[in-house]
Amino acid sequence: MYTKEELKKTIVNELGEYNLIVLSNREPYIHTMKEGRIKVQRPSGGAVTALDPVMKACGGTWIAHGSGSGDRKVVDKNNKIMVPEGDPKYTLKRLWLSKEEEKGYYYGFSNETLWPLSHIVYQRPVFREEDWQMYQKVNKKFADAVIEEIGRRNNKKTLVWIQDFQLALTAKYIKEANPNIICAYFWHIPWPNPEAFRICPFKKEIIEGILANDMVGFHIRYHADNFIETVEREVEAKTDRERNSLIKEGHETLVRAFPISVDFEEISRQVALEASLKRAKKLKKDLSLEGKIVFLGCDRIDYTKGIPERLIAFDKFLDKYPRYKEKIVFVQIGAVSRVLIKAYEDINSEINRLVGEINWKHSTSDWTPLIFSKEFVPYNDILTFYSLADVIVISSLHDGMNLVAKEYIASKNDYNGAIILSQFTGSARELQEAFFINPFNTDEFVDTIKQVIDMPQKEKEKRMKILRDIVSDNNIYKWAATVIQELSKFYL
Ligand code: F6P
């Protein structure tokens, strides 16, 4: 297994001469005010899950939008705070957005334009000129924060590692201010095929913004190839097939696939702690899960995650195999997200309605088939849920990677678990021992639920062993080291 110590060595060897700055919209720690007291929350989302352990291992500065109600109260005069609390390892620098900026850049262009455009799940993207203006303004604001940050330091060179679709233009503004800064970009969601992307009125500017980076990473080769094809169709650029790169106006951008991962060792350690085992016992008792087959869904509530599809499949499963009534419970945990957007309000209502209907239809005096928690669940509790669930169901209609699958595998120290996994997730490419479904095919979904339940324990353990080897061999430290090494071959 690749360790955080090895990553540290790689960083010292390759980046010894560099400052490392990570940029993302979502911050890794959110301070909220509750009843006059400040609490720290760890937000859900792939980018944060993956990057926090890397930053803990190698230090540096992470610049992100300060979105919590208590965020301003805890930072110093430079808007900085060392994190995590109690065992500080790196600097979080917060950048503030006005309500108007957040509306246009985050809710509007990021989540009503780029998110549906990239996922292609039949949710129509919205193109508003005013959102686009705000997106450019905020991307520039992130670039200015980087330049300001570098200005305060010694004259070491800088590597800026930009995360995700919210910041597609930032490298362009950074390079305009200082072309010597190395910019690497990671796009955490799918890149669509050229036919889907071509409808975007701002496509040329977005592509040119991304091509200002020195390297662009995607989770899987398919998304990287979609990006190359899109560039070839939409702008004047040369493709170098040998180097897998794109050259525009003399500037080269390497295009790579780096499947992201999780901190396998840490998750595995956490779930083995006495406190976690006690929590599992208590949760089982409190939720009447003892002696039941526990199915788990764990997602940010989003229309890309296929939550209604999985609830409908569970309903049909109980119709088709009524003998499983009172023997099985489906726990769905999910933090509500992006609630100001109508499509998210709609998906929340649809899930609430389905949970109500299915429970009304099947429940008995001693048994409720579905438990739905939309409260914020602390990360430790999520890990405990993973460890106690017999089966996890990941039914995304389209997903860049899906780290829930990998976190679940890392939590299964006893090999006792199985994954039902959508074939439309990036993780499906690596996790070949999962039970694959097409979430749009309800009958197949129902049969797969039955197949998992019927499969002999020994066979399931065998599959889980293989899955654990895959995730532990390809953990988050190896991912980060591979990105840095690839960059260093060409630029550092
Ligand atoms: O990992 C993909 C991602 O879109 C991140 O960019 C984002 O931070 C996360 O999921 C959660 O979304 P949000 O930040 O909008 O809550």
Side-chain angles (χ1 to χ4, degrees), residues 26 44-47 106 115 164-166 188-189 300 338:
R26 182 62 66 204
S44 57
Y106 173 75
W115 183 266
D164 230 346
F165 62 100
Q166 299 94 344
H188 288 259
I189 62 174
R300 199 169 44 73
R338 305 173 184 171

Coordinates of all heavy atoms in Angstrom, one line a residue, residues 26 44-47 106 115 164-166 188-189 300 338, ligand 1:
R26 N -15.7 24.5 -2.8 CA -16.1 24.0 -1.5 C -15.0 23.9 -0.6 O -13.9 23.4 -0.9 CB -16.8 22.6 -1.7 CG -17.3 21.9 -0.5 CD -18.4 22.7 0.2 NE -19.6 22.8 -0.6 CZ -20.6 23.7 -0.5 NH1 -20.4 24.7 0.4 NH2 -21.7 23.7 -1.2
S44 N -20.1 17.0 2.5 CA -20.0 15.8 1.6 C -19.5 16.3 0.2 O -19.6 17.5 -0.1 CB -21.4 15.2 1.5 OG -22.3 16.1 1.1
G45 N -19.0 15.4 -0.5 CA -18.6 15.7 -1.9 C -17.2 15.1 -2.1 O -16.4 15.1 -1.3
G46 N -17.0 14.7 -3.4 CA -15.8 13.9 -3.7 C -14.5 14.7 -3.6 O -13.5 14.2 -3.1
A47 N -14.6 15.9 -4.0 CA -13.3 16.7 -4.1 C -12.7 16.8 -2.7 O -11.5 16.6 -2.5 CB -13.5 18.1 -4.7
Y106 N -22.3 30.2 -8.3 CA -22.4 28.8 -7.8 C -23.7 28.2 -8.2 O -23.8 27.2 -8.9 CB -22.2 28.9 -6.3 CG -22.5 27.6 -5.6 CD1 -21.6 26.5 -5.6 CD2 -23.7 27.4 -4.9 CE1 -21.9 25.3 -5.0 CE2 -24.0 26.1 -4.3 CZ -23.1 25.1 -4.4 OH -23.4 23.9 -3.8
W115 N -23.2 21.7 -14.4 CA -23.5 20.4 -13.8 C -24.5 19.6 -14.7 O -24.1 18.5 -15.1 CB -24.1 20.7 -12.4 CG -24.4 19.4 -11.6 CD1 -25.6 18.8 -11.6 CD2 -23.5 18.6 -10.8 NE1 -25.5 17.6 -10.8 CE2 -24.2 17.5 -10.3 CE3 -22.2 18.8 -10.5 CZ2 -23.7 16.6 -9.5 CZ3 -21.6 17.8 -9.7 CH2 -22.3 16.7 -9.2
D164 N -12.0 21.3 -10.1 CA -13.4 21.2 -10.5 C -14.1 22.2 -11.3 O -13.5 23.3 -11.6 CB -14.3 20.9 -9.3 CG -15.2 19.7 -9.5 OD1 -15.3 19.3 -10.7 OD2 -15.8 19.2 -8.5
F165 N -15.3 21.9 -11.7 CA -16.0 22.7 -12.8 C -16.4 24.1 -12.4 O -16.7 24.9 -13.2 CB -17.3 21.9 -13.2 CG -18.3 21.8 -12.1 CD1 -19.4 22.6 -11.9 CD2 -18.1 20.8 -11.1 CE1 -20.3 22.5 -10.9 CE2 -19.0 20.6 -10.0 CZ -20.1 21.5 -10.0
Q166 N -16.3 24.4 -11.1 CA -16.7 25.8 -10.6 C -15.5 26.7 -11.0 O -15.8 27.9 -11.1 CB -16.8 25.8 -9.1 CG -18.0 24.9 -8.6 CD -17.5 23.6 -8.1 OE1 -16.4 23.1 -8.5 NE2 -18.3 22.8 -7.4
H188 N -13.7 17.0 -11.7 CA -14.1 15.9 -10.8 C -15.4 15.3 -11.3 O -15.9 14.3 -10.7 CB -14.3 16.4 -9.4 CG -13.1 16.6 -8.6 ND1 -12.5 15.7 -7.7 CD2 -12.2 17.7 -8.7 CE1 -11.4 16.2 -7.2 NE2 -11.2 17.4 -7.8
I189 N -16.0 15.8 -12.4 CA -17.3 15.2 -12.8 C -17.1 14.7 -14.3 O -16.0 14.9 -14.8 CB -18.4 16.3 -12.7 CG1 -18.1 17.5 -13.6 CG2 -18.6 16.8 -11.3 CD1 -19.3 18.6 -13.7
R300 N -25.2 12.8 -1.4 CA -25.7 14.1 -1.4 C -27.0 14.1 -2.2 O -27.0 13.4 -3.3 CB -24.6 15.0 -2.1 CG -24.7 16.5 -1.9 CD -23.5 17.2 -2.4 NE -23.1 16.7 -3.7 CZ -23.8 17.0 -4.8 NH1 -24.8 17.8 -4.8 NH2 -23.4 16.5 -6.0
R338 N -27.7 22.3 -2.5 CA -28.1 23.2 -3.6 C -29.6 23.5 -3.6 O -30.2 23.6 -4.6 CB -27.7 22.6 -4.9 CG -26.2 22.3 -4.9 CD -25.8 21.5 -6.2 NE -24.4 21.1 -6.1 CZ -23.7 20.3 -7.0 NH1 -24.4 19.9 -8.0 NH2 -22.5 20.0 -6.8
Ligands
F6P1 O1 -17.0 16.0 -6.4 C1 -17.8 16.7 -7.2 C2 -18.4 17.8 -6.5 O2 -19.2 18.5 -7.5 C3 -17.5 18.9 -6.0 O3 -17.1 19.8 -6.9 C4 -18.4 19.5 -5.0 O4 -17.7 20.2 -4.1 C5 -19.2 18.4 -4.5 O5 -19.3 17.5 -5.5 C6 -20.4 18.7 -3.7 O6 -21.2 19.7 -4.3 P1 -21.4 21.1 -3.6 O7 -20.0 21.6 -3.3 O8 -22.1 21.9 -4.6 O9 -22.1 20.9 -2.3

